[in-house]
């Protein structure tokens, strides 16, 4: 299949993979990208929604829904996988909120966010290439799908 016949998801992944050839950087991404995704979910979860029954989670839910629409449009299979990931992250975040409280959830998520981004930049230093999102912010959404697609390939699933 030539480059013009590829699906958009294949073109995104080919471009993203070009910036992630080093095995150490790839391994860092396998852990850091999902961690960053969870922190975004958790940090948005902590934004209060005054005047509603929901005290938290609304902004996070909206962001997950918009991101899920992007993934589902790229690939139904990846969309289903990302939906499962978002549901799991929402459940985990809600559980952590009930256990730690909103303030401590915020600090936990902030700490994980900082550590995961430091790991990402160390990976890219090892790689010798700048992070993909510095050329196009869409790559912030491509990263989680790229990690999921790696899992799909290991499992022998098509995306």
């Amino acid at each position: 299949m030539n480059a013009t016949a590829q699906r958009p998801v294949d073109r995104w992944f080919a471009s993203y993979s070009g910036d992630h050839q080093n095995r150490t950087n790839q391994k860092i991404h396998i852990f850091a990208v999902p961690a960053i995704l969870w922190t975004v979910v958790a940090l948005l979860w902590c934004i209060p929604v005054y005047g509603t029954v929901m005290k938290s989670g609304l902004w996070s839910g909206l962001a997950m829904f918009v991101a899920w629409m992007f993934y589902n449009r790229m690939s139904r299979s990846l969309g289903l996988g990302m939906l499962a990931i978002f549901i799991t992250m929402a459940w985990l975040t809600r559980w952590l909120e009930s256990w730690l409280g909103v303030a401590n959830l915020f600090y936990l998520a902030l700490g994980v966010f900082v550590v995961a981004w430091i790991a990402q930049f160390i990976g890219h230093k090892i790689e010798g290439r700048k992070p993909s999102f510095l050329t196009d912010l869409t790559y912030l959404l491509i990263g989680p799908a790229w990690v999921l697609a790696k899992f799909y390939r290991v499992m022998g699933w098509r995306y």
Side-chain angles (χ1 to χ4, degrees):
M1 182 179 331
N2 66 31
T4 57
Q6 287 181 329
R7 302 172 300 165
V9 66
D10 296 318
R11 289 192 299 271
W12 281 113
F13 287 167
S15 177
Y16 192 86
S17 292
D19 292 333
H20 302 86
Q21 295 294 308
N22 181 280
R23 291 178 54 81
T24 301
N25 189 26
Q26 289 180 18
K27 288 178 183 179
I28 289 170
H29 276 63
I30 288 170
F31 292 99
V33 168
I36 291 168
L37 181 62
W38 172 74
T39 64
V40 171
V41 168
L43 291 169
L44 289 172
W45 191 280
C46 293
I47 299 172
V49 184
Y50 297 107
T52 67
V53 175
M54 293 182 70
K55 298 299 180 210
S56 59
L58 177 67
W59 303 116
S60 183
L62 289 173
M64 287 187 284
F65 179 73
V66 169
W68 171 78
M69 288 189 329
F70 173 81
Y71 296 126
N72 197 54
R73 187 166 184 197
M74 273 192 349
S75 159
R76 293 283 167 103
S77 176
L78 286 173
L80 285 172
M82 290 305 297
L83 179 62
I85 288 168
F86 284 141
I87 289 169
T88 302
M89 287 183 172
W91 176 85
L92 173 66
T93 304
R94 175 65 187 104
W95 179 77
L96 285 169
E97 178 195 24
S98 69
W99 184 50
L100 300 172
V102 174
N104 289 328
L105 172 63
F106 174 81
Y107 291 121
L108 173 65
L110 189 60
V112 172
F113 184 83
V114 169
V115 169
W117 272 110
I118 289 170
Q120 290 279 78
F121 283 108
I122 290 170
H124 278 285
K125 179 73 172 166
I126 293 167
E127 178 88 37
R129 298 185 61 95
K130 66 182 181 179
S132 299
F133 78 88
L134 293 176
T135 58
D136 186 338
L137 289 177
T138 306
Y139 286 110
L140 290 171
L141 287 170
I142 296 301
W146 181 78
V147 171
L148 182 60
K150 286 179 87 58
F151 174 73
Y152 277 25
R153 284 191 291 278
V154 167
M155 299 302 293
W157 300 343
R158 293 178 46 92
Y159 64 84

